[in-house]
Amino acid sequence: MPSAIPPAELELIRRLTAREEAAMTTFYDFYGRTLYRIIRAFVGSDEAAEDVLQDSLVKIWNAFYSYDATRGRLYTWAVNICRHQALDHLRAAQARGAGRTDTWDELPSTTQPAITGGFVPEHLDVRACLAYLRPAYRRVLELRYFDGLKLEEVAEVLDLPLGTVKTHQRQALRQLASLWR
């Protein structure tokens, strides 16, 4: 194993390899909060993030035999598992809703409110407008403006280059501006 790995992590890896159940508690103490925040950024709710984190921890425990310290740090390996679990959760939720038909009241409105003759920002439903964006663009805006992440953090969460995130944000804002004209 590379010498760049801190001794505490080396000991944790040894214990996990030996299948010590108490080592998962130590693992959670080391990385649980950070992993939860990463998952939360993907799934959008505390309840879903807790469920995905639990599933991720079980997967980490069951798949630990596949961890190779020569290929990367334990934290990075765990983040990738959590990210994939979060994406699986989102895909499953999308698949569950795929056959669902929206009621008339649930459809986003594309008409301007007739209350006043001018533009009234309070009448604008931003979340409904996001439904018209490509999913990649929508996700960037959700992380930036609803979760309050910086561009660099969005790039890390989505595992995209910073330039790509900036482009997605710019394109999304252009599309939203054209909707509001």
Side-chain angles (χ1 to χ4, degrees), residues 5 9 13 17 63-70 72-75 77:
I5 298 176
E9 188 173 314
I13 292 169
T17 302
F64 195 76
Y65 66 88
S66 69
Y67 171 67
D68 181 2
T70 62
R73 297 279 307 269
L74 178 60
Y75 170 76
W77 181 75

Side-chain angles (χ1 to χ4, degrees), residues 72-178:
R73 297 279 307 269
L74 178 60
Y75 170 76
T76 307
W77 181 75
V79 165
N80 283 326
I81 288 176
C82 291
R83 186 170 52 90
H84 287 105
Q85 286 294 116
L87 290 171
D88 287 348
H89 172 83
L90 292 173
R91 286 184 196 115
Q94 187 176 21
R96 282 191 301 272
R100 187 175 153 265
T101 303
D102 292 334
T103 65
W104 185 258
D105 295 331
E106 292 173 330
L107 293 173
S109 173
T110 58
T111 60
Q112 289 291 332
I115 296 173
T116 66
F119 174 71
V120 181
E122 292 81 8
H123 295 166
L124 192 60
D125 186 357
V126 175
R127 288 200 189 264
C129 292
L130 291 180
Y132 292 99
L133 298 177
R134 288 179 41 194
Y137 295 173
R138 180 180 335 124
R139 190 69 188 127
V140 168
L141 291 188
E142 289 170 346
L143 291 171
R144 285 281 290 142
Y145 298 106
F146 297 129
D147 294 342
L149 298 181
K150 297 177 184 174
L151 282 170
E152 294 80 10
E153 294 170 324
V154 172
E156 183 178 307
V157 167
L158 297 178
D159 196 22
L160 292 172
L162 181 59
T164 301
V165 171
K166 288 179 180 180
T167 300
H168 286 346
Q169 177 179 284
R170 185 174 55 254
Q171 292 298 330
L173 293 175
R174 282 184 183 159
Q175 285 182 11
L176 286 176
S178 70

Side-chain angles (χ1 to χ4, degrees), residues 40-62:
R40 174 67 171 81
F42 273 95
V43 299
S45 78
D46 292 332
E47 184 178 308
E50 290 169 6
D51 289 345
V52 172
L53 178 60
Q54 180 66 34
D55 293 343
S56 298
L57 292 173
V58 169
K59 188 163 190 170
I60 287 166
W61 174 254
N62 289 332

